[in-house]
Amino acid sequence: MKVIGLIGGMSWESSVLYYQILNRKTQEILGGSHSSDCLMYSVDFGEIAMLQHQGDWESLEKKMIAAAQRLERGGADIILICTNTMHKMAEAIEQNTNIPLLHIVDSTAEDIQKKSYTKLGMLATKFSMEEDFLKNRYKTKYGIETMVPEAEQRNEVHRIIYEELVQGIIKESSRQYYLKIIDDLVKNGAEAIILGCTEIELLIKPEDVSVDLFATAKLHAEKAVDWALS
C-alpha cells in the first residue's frame, strides 16, 4: 500500500473522520485487521482560522506548503488536504512538492458524474461559497454548476461551522437550519447537494434529506485508499 499523506487539523474534528474512513475502507478492501498506511501533519486550527478571517492567504500558503513538504520528507506518496477551504492553496502545494495531490473536487465530481447531475447546491465556508477556487474547478473541469445560499444564509452557515462544528458542538437547531437551506436550494433547481465543508458531514446525514448528498471528506478519503491500493 502506498503511503497517504494528510494535512489535517482544519479542524481536527473532521481529520478524525478522515482517519476513520481511510482505515475502514482499507479493512473493507483487504479484510482482517488491515488498516491504512498513512501520515498526518496536523496544524493548529486556531492560527489557521485567525489568518483566514484576516485574509492573510499568503501566510496560509506558506504554512500549507511547509506541511506538505514535511509529509513528503516523511515518506508520503500522495498528499490530501483534509479540508475544502484550504484547497485555495492546492496549486501552490503542487508547484512546491514532487508527489501528487489528490484534489477534493476531483474525488467529489467523479462521483457526481456517475449520477449524471450537472447542477448542485453547495454548503461550505463563506470562503468556498463566495470565491471561485472550488466552483471554477467543478465547472471548467467537469461541467458541474454549483449553487450557493443567499448572503444571509451564507453568513449563518459559516458561523455554525466556525463557532460550533469545528469545536465538536452539534446542535439540532443548526441541523434544522441547514436542512431548510438545502430545501431552498432544491426548490431553486439543485438536483443534489455537495457538503463542501468536511465538518458538515458531522451534522447532516444522508437520511436527513430526500436528495443525494455528496460528502466531500468521505469521497476524498475513499478515493485516496483506492489510489494507494492500485
Side-chain angles (χ1 to χ4, degrees):
M1 185 175 188
K2 299 181 185 72
V3 180
I4 300 168
L6 306 157
I7 305 178
M10 300 173 288
S11 67
W12 71 263
E13 291 284 349
S14 63
S15 299
V16 170
L17 186 61
Y18 266 85
Y19 189 68
Q20 290 175 333
I21 296 165
L22 288 176
N23 286 294
R24 287 171 179 163
K25 181 69 172 179
T26 302
Q27 186 183 41
E28 177 186 316
I29 294 171
L30 298 180
S33 56
H34 286 286
S35 57
S36 177
D37 199 348
C38 62
L39 296 170
M40 180 181 288
Y41 181 75
S42 187
V43 300
D44 177 2
F45 189 61
E47 293 179 5
I48 298 297
M50 179 183 67
L51 291 169
Q52 286 176 338
H53 288 92
Q54 289 175 349
D56 190 353
W57 298 102
E58 182 178 351
S59 294
L60 288 164
E61 183 175 290
K62 291 176 181 177
K63 285 181 177 290
M64 291 299 101
I65 290 171
Q69 290 174 340
R70 286 189 181 206
L71 290 171
E72 184 176 10
R73 290 195 300 271
D77 295 306
I78 193 170
I79 294 169
L80 275 68
I81 309 169
C82 300
T83 164
N84 282 266
T85 299
M86 297 307 282
H87 276 75
K88 186 177 174 75
M89 287 83 190
E91 185 175 344
I93 289 173
E94 289 175 318
Q95 291 172 349
N96 287 276
T97 53
N98 299 301
I99 55 177
L101 180 143
L102 180 60
H103 202 290
I104 199 164
V105 166
D106 298 344
S107 303
T108 306
E110 288 169 10
D111 210 59
I112 291 170
Q113 287 187 324
K114 293 176 184 176
K115 298 288 185 75
S116 300
Y117 295 135
T118 58
K119 188 175 184 179
L120 290 90
M122 183 171 75
L123 300 181
T125 66
K126 281 185 68 176
F127 310 116
S128 297
M129 289 189 288
E130 296 180 356
E131 298 184 40
D132 292 330
F133 57 92
L134 297 180
K135 293 187 287 187
N136 276 353
R137 192 175 184 99
Y138 279 114
K139 183 65 176 177
T140 60
K141 193 170 182 180
Y142 298 97
I144 295 169
E145 179 184 349
T146 49
M147 304 166 54
V148 297
E150 61 184 34
E152 183 179 342
Q153 291 177 327
R154 293 197 300 270
N155 290 336
E156 183 63 6
V157 167
H158 184 89
R159 186 200 67 76
I160 289 168
I161 291 168
Y162 280 87
E163 295 184 12
E164 298 175 18
L165 301 183
V166 303
Q167 298 177 44
I169 299 169
I170 305 298
K171 293 184 177 180
E172 181 60 28
S173 59
S174 296
R175 178 181 288 109
Q176 293 304 319
Y177 188 84
Y178 273 47
L179 292 177
K180 172 63 168 60
I181 293 174
I182 289 171
D183 187 54
D184 289 345
L185 288 167
V186 171
K187 287 178 180 176
N188 288 326
E191 301 168 289
I193 300 294
I194 297 168
L195 302 183
C197 170
T198 52
E199 282 82 14
I200 297 176
E201 293 167 52
L202 303 170
L203 183 66
I204 301 297
K205 306 297 182 183
E207 58 268 23
D208 294 328
V209 297
S210 60
V211 295
D212 282 333
L213 292 179
F214 292 89
T216 52
K218 182 175 186 292
L219 294 169
H220 198 201
E222 289 183 343
K223 186 74 172 181
V225 173
D226 289 340
W227 183 90
L229 292 172
S230 64

